[in-house]
């Protein structure tokens, strides 16, 4: 009998609890998730976003000007070479100009430059207009975007051009499917570098 009363009381408490919850109570306001609306609004956020561009350029051997970039540029010239009796096959392939589109080096340099371009576009597009240092940070981002495209156009010729933040995969695939002529890429490079020069 005592057990039955506890069961009824427990059931009544569950029903009261369920019906007392309002929709406001169930809606969460996430505070740990950064979005474009919540980030880029303070000077510290904007500097942090710009520092991410610098971090992208400095990131190790597979980074922007690390060993892999050197293999794609210097190893293929008379400036340096790989001893064919030692070393790894990837480097030897570049030294012999025996490279395919499947090369991990090509993918690493391509991806790294476009990752950096994505970070520059985020700074250019999202840093709050109200910040005093906005012009400087945007100029820094434009310099690095120009430099990234300068490397890409010299290595690959016609390349996809991205000048805004990519919002979804459909947009990314649409942009990636269309390579802009080198002339247009050089025009963007010149425009970005001239804009950076005016401020920096």
């Amino acid at each position: 009998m005592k057990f039955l009363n506890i069961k009824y009381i427990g059931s009544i408490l569950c029903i009261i609890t369920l019906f007392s919850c309002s929709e406001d109570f169930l809606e969460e306001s996430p505070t740990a998730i950064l979005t474009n609306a919540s980030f880029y609004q303070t000077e510290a956020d904007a500097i942090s976003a710009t520092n991410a561009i610098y971090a992208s350029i400095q990131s190790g051997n597979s980074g922007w000007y690390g060993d892999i970039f050197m293999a794609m540029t210097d190893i293929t010239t008379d400036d340096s070479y790989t001893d064919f009796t030692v070393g790894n096959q990837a480097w030897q392939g570049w030294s012999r100009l025996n490279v395919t589109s499947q090369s991990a080096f090509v993918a690493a340099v391509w991806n790294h430059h476009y990752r950096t371009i994505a970070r520059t576009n985020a700074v250019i597009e999202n840093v709050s207009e109200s910040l005093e240092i906005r012009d400087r940070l945007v100029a820094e981002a434009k310099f690095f975007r120009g430099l990234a495209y300068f490397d890409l156009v010299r290595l690959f010729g016609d390349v996809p051009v991205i000048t805004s933040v990519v919002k979804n995969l459909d947009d990314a695939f649409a942009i990636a499917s269309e390579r802009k002529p080198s002339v247009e890429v050089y025009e963007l490079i010149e425009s970005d570098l001239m804009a950076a020069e005016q401020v920096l």
Side-chain angles (χ1 to χ4, degrees), residues 66-102:
D67 292 350
I68 290 176
F69 190 83
M70 184 177 70
M72 288 183 67
T73 54
D74 285 351
I75 298 286
T76 57
T77 69
D78 292 338
D79 291 342
S80 59
Y81 70 96
T82 297
D83 185 340
F84 298 123
T85 61
V86 295
N88 87 31
Q89 294 294 325
W91 282 72
Q92 291 175 10
W94 281 95
S95 193
R96 292 177 177 166
L97 299 177
N98 184 16
V99 181
T100 69
S101 62
Q102 302 302 312

Coordinates of all heavy atoms in Angstrom, one line a residue, residues 66-102:
G66 N 56.7 26.4 -46.4 CA 57.5 25.3 -45.8 C 58.2 24.4 -46.9 O 58.3 24.8 -48.1
D67 N 58.6 23.2 -46.5 CA 59.3 22.3 -47.4 C 58.6 22.0 -48.7 O 59.1 21.9 -49.7 CB 59.7 21.0 -46.7 CG 60.7 21.3 -45.6 OD1 61.3 22.4 -45.5 OD2 60.9 20.3 -44.8
I68 N 57.3 21.8 -48.5 CA 56.5 21.4 -49.7 C 56.5 22.5 -50.7 O 56.6 22.2 -51.9 CB 55.0 21.0 -49.3 CG1 55.1 19.7 -48.5 CG2 54.1 20.9 -50.4 CD1 53.8 19.2 -47.9
F69 N 56.3 23.7 -50.3 CA 56.3 24.8 -51.3 C 57.7 24.9 -51.9 O 57.8 25.2 -53.1 CB 55.9 26.1 -50.6 CG 55.7 27.3 -51.5 CD1 54.5 27.4 -52.1 CD2 56.7 28.2 -51.8 CE1 54.2 28.5 -53.0 CE2 56.5 29.2 -52.7 CZ 55.2 29.4 -53.3
M70 N 58.7 24.7 -51.1 CA 60.1 24.8 -51.7 C 60.2 23.7 -52.7 O 60.9 23.9 -53.8 CB 61.1 24.6 -50.6 CG 62.5 24.7 -51.1 SD 63.7 24.6 -49.8 CE 63.6 22.9 -49.3
A71 N 59.7 22.5 -52.5 CA 59.8 21.4 -53.4 C 59.1 21.8 -54.8 O 59.6 21.5 -55.8 CB 59.2 20.1 -52.9
M72 N 58.0 22.4 -54.7 CA 57.3 22.8 -55.9 C 57.9 23.9 -56.7 O 57.7 24.1 -57.9 CB 55.8 23.2 -55.5 CG 55.0 22.0 -55.2 SD 53.3 22.5 -54.8 CE 52.7 23.0 -56.4
T73 N 58.7 24.7 -56.0 CA 59.3 25.9 -56.7 C 60.8 25.8 -56.9 O 61.3 25.9 -58.0 CB 59.0 27.2 -55.9 OG1 59.5 27.0 -54.5 CG2 57.5 27.5 -55.8
D74 N 61.6 25.5 -55.9 CA 63.1 25.5 -56.0 C 63.6 24.2 -56.5 O 64.5 24.1 -57.3 CB 63.7 25.8 -54.7 CG 63.7 27.3 -54.4 OD1 63.2 28.1 -55.3 OD2 64.0 27.7 -53.3
I75 N 63.0 23.0 -56.1 CA 63.5 21.7 -56.5 C 63.4 21.5 -58.0 O 64.1 20.8 -58.6 CB 62.8 20.6 -55.7 CG1 63.1 20.7 -54.2 CG2 63.3 19.2 -56.2 CD1 64.4 20.3 -53.8
T76 N 62.4 22.2 -58.6 CA 62.2 22.1 -60.0 C 63.1 23.0 -60.9 O 63.0 23.0 -62.1 CB 60.7 22.4 -60.3 OG1 60.4 23.7 -59.9 CG2 59.8 21.4 -59.7
T77 N 64.0 23.7 -60.2 CA 64.9 24.6 -60.9 C 66.3 24.2 -60.7 O 66.6 23.2 -60.1 CB 64.7 26.1 -60.4 OG1 65.2 26.2 -59.1 CG2 63.2 26.5 -60.4
D78 N 67.3 25.0 -61.2 CA 68.7 24.8 -60.9 C 69.1 25.3 -59.6 O 70.3 25.1 -59.2 CB 69.5 25.5 -62.0 CG 69.3 24.9 -63.4 OD1 68.9 23.7 -63.4 OD2 69.6 25.6 -64.4
D79 N 68.2 25.9 -58.8 CA 68.6 26.4 -57.5 C 69.0 25.3 -56.5 O 69.8 25.5 -55.6 CB 67.5 27.2 -56.9 CG 67.3 28.5 -57.6 OD1 68.2 28.9 -58.4 OD2 66.2 29.1 -57.5
S80 N 68.3 24.2 -56.6 CA 68.5 23.1 -55.7 C 68.1 21.8 -56.3 O 67.4 21.8 -57.4 CB 67.8 23.2 -54.3 OG 66.4 23.3 -54.6
Y81 N 68.5 20.6 -55.8 CA 68.1 19.4 -56.3 C 68.1 18.3 -55.2 O 68.5 18.5 -54.1 CB 69.1 18.9 -57.4 CG 70.5 18.5 -56.9 CD1 70.8 17.2 -56.6 CD2 71.4 19.5 -56.7 CE1 72.0 16.9 -56.1 CE2 72.6 19.2 -56.1 CZ 72.9 17.9 -55.9 OH 74.2 17.5 -55.4
T82 N 67.5 17.2 -55.5 CA 67.4 16.1 -54.6 C 68.3 15.0 -55.1 O 68.2 14.6 -56.3 CB 66.0 15.5 -54.5 OG1 65.1 16.5 -54.0 CG2 65.9 14.3 -53.6
D83 N 69.2 14.5 -54.3 CA 70.0 13.3 -54.6 C 69.2 12.1 -54.9 O 68.4 11.7 -54.0 CB 71.0 13.1 -53.5 CG 72.1 12.0 -53.8 OD1 71.8 11.2 -54.8 OD2 73.1 12.0 -53.2
F84 N 69.3 11.5 -56.1 CA 68.4 10.5 -56.4 C 68.7 9.1 -55.7 O 67.9 8.2 -55.8 CB 68.4 10.3 -58.0 CG 67.9 11.5 -58.7 CD1 68.7 12.1 -59.6 CD2 66.7 12.0 -58.4 CE1 68.2 13.2 -60.3 CE2 66.2 13.1 -59.1 CZ 67.0 13.7 -60.0
T85 N 69.8 9.1 -55.0 CA 70.1 7.8 -54.3 C 69.6 7.8 -52.9 O 69.6 6.8 -52.2 CB 71.6 7.6 -54.2 OG1 72.2 8.7 -53.5 CG2 72.2 7.5 -55.7
V86 N 69.1 9.0 -52.4 CA 68.6 9.1 -51.1 C 67.3 10.0 -51.1 O 67.0 10.5 -52.2 CB 69.6 9.7 -50.1 CG1 70.8 8.8 -49.9 CG2 70.0 11.1 -50.5
G87 N 66.7 10.1 -50.0 CA 65.5 11.0 -49.9 C 64.2 10.3 -50.3 O 64.2 9.2 -50.7
N88 N 63.2 11.0 -50.2 CA 61.9 10.4 -50.4 C 61.4 10.6 -51.9 O 61.9 11.5 -52.6 CB 60.8 10.8 -49.4 CG 60.1 12.1 -49.7 OD1 59.9 12.4 -50.9 ND2 59.7 12.8 -48.7
Q89 N 60.6 9.7 -52.3 CA 60.2 9.6 -53.7 C 59.4 10.9 -54.2 O 59.6 11.3 -55.3 CB 59.2 8.4 -53.9 CG 59.9 7.1 -53.7 CD 61.0 6.8 -54.8 OE1 60.8 7.2 -55.9 NE2 62.1 6.2 -54.4
A90 N 58.7 11.5 -53.3 CA 57.9 12.7 -53.7 C 58.9 13.8 -54.1 O 58.7 14.5 -55.1 CB 57.0 13.1 -52.6
W91 N 59.9 14.0 -53.3 CA 60.9 15.1 -53.6 C 61.6 14.7 -54.9 O 61.9 15.6 -55.7 CB 61.9 15.2 -52.4 CG 61.3 16.0 -51.3 CD1 60.4 15.6 -50.4 CD2 61.7 17.3 -50.9 NE1 60.1 16.6 -49.5 CE2 60.9 17.6 -49.8 CE3 62.5 18.3 -51.5 CZ2 61.0 18.9 -49.2 CZ3 62.6 19.5 -50.8 CH2 61.8 19.8 -49.7
Q92 N 62.0 13.5 -55.1 CA 62.7 13.1 -56.3 C 61.8 13.3 -57.5 O 62.3 13.7 -58.6 CB 63.1 11.6 -56.2 CG 64.2 11.4 -55.2 CD 64.6 10.0 -55.0 OE1 64.1 9.1 -55.7 NE2 65.4 9.7 -54.0
G93 N 60.5 13.0 -57.4 CA 59.6 13.3 -58.5 C 59.6 14.7 -58.9 O 59.7 15.1 -60.1
W94 N 59.6 15.7 -58.0 CA 59.7 17.1 -58.3 C 61.0 17.5 -58.9 O 61.0 18.3 -59.9 CB 59.4 17.9 -57.0 CG 57.9 18.0 -56.7 CD1 57.3 17.2 -55.9 CD2 57.0 18.8 -57.3 NE1 55.9 17.5 -55.9 CE2 55.7 18.5 -56.8 CE3 57.0 19.8 -58.3 CZ2 54.5 19.1 -57.1 CZ3 55.8 20.5 -58.7 CH2 54.6 20.1 -58.1
S95 N 62.1 16.9 -58.4 CA 63.4 17.2 -58.9 C 63.5 16.7 -60.4 O 64.2 17.4 -61.2 CB 64.5 16.6 -58.1 OG 65.7 17.1 -58.4
R96 N 62.8 15.7 -60.7 CA 62.9 15.1 -62.1 C 61.7 15.7 -63.0 O 61.6 15.3 -64.1 CB 62.8 13.6 -62.0 CG 64.0 12.9 -61.4 CD 63.8 11.5 -61.4 NE 64.9 10.8 -60.8 CZ 65.0 9.6 -60.4 NH1 63.9 8.8 -60.4 NH2 66.1 9.0 -59.9
L97 N 60.9 16.5 -62.4 CA 59.8 17.1 -63.1 C 58.8 16.0 -63.5 O 58.2 16.0 -64.6 CB 60.2 17.9 -64.3 CG 61.0 19.1 -64.0 CD1 61.4 19.8 -65.3 CD2 60.3 20.1 -63.1
N98 N 58.7 15.0 -62.7 CA 57.8 13.8 -62.9 C 56.7 13.9 -61.9 O 56.7 13.2 -60.9 CB 58.6 12.5 -62.8 CG 57.8 11.3 -63.1 OD1 56.7 11.4 -63.7 ND2 58.3 10.2 -62.7
V99 N 55.7 14.8 -62.1 CA 54.7 15.1 -61.2 C 53.3 14.9 -61.8 O 53.1 15.2 -63.0 CB 54.8 16.5 -60.7 CG1 53.8 16.8 -59.6 CG2 56.2 16.8 -60.1
T100 N 52.4 14.3 -61.0 CA 51.0 14.1 -61.5 C 50.1 15.0 -60.6 O 50.5 15.5 -59.6 CB 50.6 12.7 -61.4 OG1 50.5 12.3 -60.0 CG2 51.6 11.8 -62.1
S101 N 48.9 15.1 -61.1 CA 47.9 15.8 -60.3 C 47.6 15.1 -59.0 O 46.9 15.7 -58.1 CB 46.6 16.0 -61.1 OG 46.1 14.7 -61.4
Q102 N 48.0 13.8 -58.8 CA 47.7 13.1 -57.6 C 48.8 13.4 -56.5 O 48.7 12.9 -55.4 CB 47.7 11.6 -57.9 CG 46.7 11.2 -58.9 CD 45.3 11.5 -58.5 OE1 44.9 11.3 -57.4 NE2 44.6 12.2 -59.4

